[in-house]
Amino acid sequence: MDFFHVLVVLLESTIRVSVPLVFAALAGLFTERAGVFDIGLEGKMLGAAFAAGAAAAVTQSVWVGLGAAILVSVALSLVHGYASITQRGNQIVSGVAINFIVAGSTVILGEAWFRQGGRTHAGACRRRAVPDDQLPRRGHDPRDPRPRAGLCGPPVRPFPAHLSRLRDGADQLVDSLYRTRFGLRLRAVGENPGAVDTAGISVIWLRYRAVICCGILCGFAGAYLSLAMTAGFVKGMTAGKGYIALAALIFAKWRPLNIMFACLLFGFLDALAIRLQGTPLPLVGQVPVQLMQALPYILTVILLAGFIGKAIPPKAGGVPYVKER
């Protein structure tokens, strides 16, 4: 029974940890399928998490926090779109610049506004109020990968219920990409933008729409981090999740359903690393905490280097479109 309990807890934690990865990876799917490479997923998630935590702390409303997260993330996406689509700049440089700018500005603004070392105050939730500005604590086993209570932490549900909700969301996005006119045109823009332009469809507008969709999904991912998994923003709280989502996108070869399973795999590795911290292993003994924290990233590199095979991105990916006269 003890093993079964640990397994159930580990699987439920896998779902919780995987949610922001799924959102971010699907955000990258929209832009890269449209031919715009986006390295700035990490920066968008971090900016959205800060906006959500700050707005929820000031207004005591998680809905305002969610709206602020989406607005900030979409604004950052439009900056990337303007630099890479309109100005035809280098898409990789634009994404990296967004990551650097957001990483520094969130710390500066957090310290200037809240005076708590770069983090925000706790906000409020419709289900329960936070009595003070401290992060809510509960009896917690340090090896338990389940996150501590957040502002609007997800209610405790059985593992199949979590998996069912995640699968339903993935199904909806698969439908939008493969069974709608917008999805067909979006994928065509990433493969052959000249043919799309010849058909009288604006390549620029389609790519901007993809960038906006990316901003919305990154907004959800960032808001989940600061409003559901924790009780406010903490500097650097994305901790490379945007890069792991990008790795999951490549590992899944830009296929929506495979992205969900790849994110679940990376989420499981993260939850397992947390669970094994401080636990002696057979024939090995006590493993350093730093090694367990680095385990998901090490295995990500191993999986991408040895098991992915050849991943072929969209043909027009990373190439600015220039209309022929």
Side-chain angles (χ1 to χ4, degrees):
M1 285 298 294
D2 185 54
F3 172 77
F4 179 75
H5 172 72
V6 170
L7 180 62
V8 170
V9 169
L10 191 60
L11 292 176
E12 290 184 344
S13 301
T14 298
I15 298 296
R16 295 189 184 97
V17 174
S18 300
V19 168
L21 296 179
V22 172
F23 276 126
L26 290 174
L29 176 67
F30 272 91
T31 56
E32 298 201 7
R33 275 293 189 179
V36 180
F37 286 162
D38 195 349
I39 307 297
L41 298 177
E42 176 82 3
K44 294 182 183 69
M45 287 178 64
L46 188 61
F50 175 77
V58 173
T59 64
Q60 296 294 296
S61 170
V62 292
W63 298 110
V64 174
L66 176 61
I70 293 175
L71 286 176
V72 168
S73 182
V74 169
L76 291 172
S77 293
L78 290 175
V79 170
H80 177 63
Y82 178 77
S84 59
I85 300 174
T86 303
Q87 298 298 323
R88 306 189 187 99
N90 189 296
Q91 299 173 5
I92 305 300
V93 173
S94 174
V96 172
I98 288 175
N99 290 340
F100 286 160
I101 292 171
V102 174
S105 60
T106 51
V107 175
I108 294 172
L109 292 176
E111 177 62 25
W113 291 349
F114 298 98
R115 303 291 182 184
Q116 291 193 1
R119 74 177 182 88
T120 65
H121 301 301
C125 178
R126 288 181 182 272
R127 290 197 300 271
R128 62 181 182 272
V130 179
D132 52 25
D133 292 338
Q134 301 298 319
L135 294 175
R137 304 289 182 179
R138 67 185 179 195
H140 188 75
D141 183 350
R143 296 175 300 168
D144 188 349
R146 290 178 295 183
R148 293 173 178 172
L151 299 181
C152 268
V156 178
R157 295 189 181 94
F159 173 74
H162 288 296
L163 187 60
S164 176
R165 285 174 175 263
L166 199 61
R167 184 196 60 206
D168 291 343
D171 287 343
Q172 293 294 327
L173 285 168
V174 169
D175 289 341
S176 68
L177 277 174
Y178 288 92
R179 299 178 184 175
T180 64
R181 181 182 299 176
F182 168 69
L184 176 62
R185 292 176 175 178
L186 189 74
R187 288 183 290 119
V189 164
E191 297 293 338
N192 193 342
V196 175
D197 193 14
T198 303
I201 302 169
S202 174
V203 174
I204 302 300
W205 173 230
L206 267 175
R207 287 186 170 179
Y208 265 108
R209 289 167 68 184
V211 164
I212 292 171
C213 290
C214 173
I216 294 173
L217 290 171
C218 283
F220 278 112
Y224 181 88
L225 289 174
S226 59
L227 298 181
M229 290 189 71
T230 59
F233 175 81
V234 180
K235 64 179 181 179
M237 70 183 311
T238 50
K241 288 183 174 60
Y243 299 113
I244 292 181
L246 190 62
L249 178 63
I250 300 172
F251 180 67
K253 299 183 179 180
W254 294 272
R255 296 173 183 171
L257 198 58
N258 292 349
I259 286 174
M260 184 189 74
F261 291 116
C263 291
L264 287 173
L265 173 62
F266 292 139
F268 175 77
L269 295 176
D270 196 4
L272 181 64
I274 297 173
R275 179 68 192 179
L276 293 179
Q277 287 183 18
T279 304
L281 298 179
L283 304 178
V284 177
Q286 190 75 25
V287 179
V289 175
Q290 293 80 3
L291 178 61
M292 299 310 303
Q293 291 174 342
L295 179 63
Y297 306 96
I298 295 173
L299 293 181
T300 297
V301 173
I302 294 174
L303 288 173
L304 287 176
F307 296 94
I308 185 177
K310 187 176 181 181
I312 301 176
K315 293 180 181 178
V319 180
Y321 178 68
V322 180
K323 186 179 180 68
E324 295 182 0
R325 299 295 181 183

